[in-house]
Amino acid sequence: MNVKQNQIDNDRAKKIMLNLLIKFAKYCNKYEFRYFLAYGTLLGAIRHNGYIPWDNDIDIWMPRPDYNNLIRNTKIHPISEEISCLDYNEVKTFPFLKVIDNRTSLKEYFLVTEKNLGLYIDVFPLDGLPDDKKKRHKIISRSVQLNSLFAFANYRFNTGSSKKRRLIKNVLYPVSRIISSKFVCYALNNLCANYIYDECSYVGSVLWGYYYKEQLLREWFTPSIGVFEGHEFSIPSGYDNILRSYYGDYMELPAEEKRITHFYNAAWKN
């Protein structure tokens, strides 16, 4: 079978990712791990009862204790034979968990990550944050620096939004390969190590996410039920406050030029 025949189109990719979400949610329910639909997936559930029409990925939040327990548990009890959980401690990947369909392969356009990737759902930890606003901003400022370092350590050669940027990045490319991606991931995951999720008033996914918008009230994250593509999943009861914090008037459709699609090539493995 040639490469073209192996390609997975966007509609099929969405069905595969939905199946991942269904199995992931069933697993979390079995082991009583808290999870919530997140970001565009949460917005899609509320505004469209499913995928945002131009969106093609799935995002999940998990409180840090449940997130860490999930990682430990899947090493003993995998979600299924067809599903892998990429942990930066074991493979080169992102600083958050990617739950992938290991029958597939995937190539991102901008970052060098395809060695371990297949079609996936992203799982982001929700960390506890300090009550003091200055301390929260200090943590988030450090996250911004570390995310820039992660991007620098993993960008693809000869890419950039302009000829000048491509030239600069190509010149710096040998330096970028020296940086330890694992170290950056470790640093991001330990930004809030001193703050216990269930004892904090503020929480957020500070290791990636929306940076300074990641200062949300924990009381908004009591479980409720939402519908996504005909299936029920856990959503935060305070979804209105959360979505307004990120997107403002989230029920209003954005201008066409702001309807961003994630770019990748997906295929079945031979």
Side-chain angles (χ1 to χ4, degrees):
M1 187 176 289
N2 61 39
V3 174
K4 207 166 194 178
Q5 289 175 311
N6 275 348
Q7 290 296 309
I8 299 172
D9 65 27
N10 195 52
D11 288 340
R12 182 58 178 158
K14 284 184 175 183
K15 290 178 182 178
I16 294 169
M17 289 184 287
L18 176 61
N19 186 55
L20 278 173
L21 176 60
I22 292 168
K23 291 182 177 180
F24 176 84
K26 184 177 180 180
Y27 185 89
C28 287
N29 292 335
K30 177 180 178 180
Y31 290 101
E32 299 183 345
F33 296 146
R34 293 170 291 181
Y35 79 92
F36 306 99
L37 301 188
Y39 301 120
T41 309
L42 175 61
L43 175 56
I46 300 303
R47 195 171 67 194
H48 304 276
N49 293 121
Y51 284 105
I52 296 173
W54 54 90
D55 199 10
N56 59 347
D57 71 346
I58 290 177
D59 297 324
I60 297 294
W61 285 309
M62 294 188 78
R64 175 62 76 171
D66 302 85
Y67 178 87
N68 289 344
N69 286 335
L70 171 76
I71 292 174
R72 285 191 288 266
N73 203 66
T74 54
K75 296 184 192 310
I76 303 168
H77 305 290
I79 296 173
S80 83
E81 290 183 359
E82 298 174 349
I83 296 174
S84 299
C85 294
L86 299 188
D87 178 1
Y88 73 85
N89 285 297
E90 296 180 351
V91 297
K92 184 177 181 181
T93 184
F94 287 76
F96 50 86
L97 198 66
K98 283 187 176 284
V99 178
I100 70 167
D101 186 315
N102 55 33
R103 300 171 301 170
T104 66
S105 62
L106 184 143
K107 180 180 179 180
E108 301 274 12
Y109 282 165
F110 299 110
L111 298 181
V112 182
T113 55
E114 67 270 12
K115 184 176 180 181
N116 302 309
L117 278 187
L119 283 165
Y120 59 80
I121 59 176
D122 287 328
V123 184
F124 301 97
L126 283 170
D127 282 304
L129 291 167
D131 288 337
D132 185 270
K133 187 176 182 178
K134 288 184 179 179
K135 290 182 178 179
R136 293 200 301 271
H137 280 207
K138 186 176 180 180
I139 289 170
I140 294 168
S141 177
R142 179 61 175 156
S143 174
V144 173
Q145 294 170 354
L146 288 168
N147 269 272
S148 296
L149 191 61
F150 180 86
F152 183 63
N154 290 281
Y155 71 83
R156 194 180 297 282
F157 184 75
N158 205 34
T159 60
S161 56
S162 68
K163 187 175 181 180
K164 182 180 178 180
R165 287 181 66 86
R166 283 197 300 274
L167 178 60
I168 293 170
K169 289 171 75 174
N170 287 350
V171 170
L172 294 175
Y173 187 79
V175 179
S176 73
R177 301 305 98 171
I178 298 171
I179 298 168
S180 168
S181 208
K182 183 176 180 179
F183 168 79
V184 179
C185 291
Y186 176 84
L188 280 164
N189 275 275
N190 280 275
L191 282 170
C192 299
N194 294 326
Y195 300 96
I196 300 172
Y197 175 88
D198 289 295
E199 296 179 1
C200 292
S201 297
Y202 289 91
V203 299
S205 184
V206 296
L207 62 74
W208 205 256
Y210 281 84
Y211 300 124
Y212 290 96
K213 293 182 180 181
E214 297 288 349
Q215 301 175 75
L216 309 169
L217 292 176
R218 182 170 59 86
E219 65 186 37
W220 295 343
F221 287 90
T222 54
S224 185
I225 297 295
V227 175
F228 186 89
E229 297 296 331
H231 301 270
E232 291 186 344
F233 299 104
S234 176
I235 65 170
S237 61
Y239 66 84
D240 181 66
N241 290 312
I242 294 167
L243 291 175
R244 288 187 187 281
S245 297
Y246 289 135
Y247 309 115
D249 184 5
Y250 61 88
M251 293 302 288
E252 182 178 341
L253 294 178
E256 286 195 24
E257 64 270 16
K258 293 185 178 180
R259 299 179 185 182
I260 299 171
T261 299
H262 293 80
F263 293 103
Y264 53 71
N265 287 322
W268 296 107
K269 291 180 179 177
N270 290 323

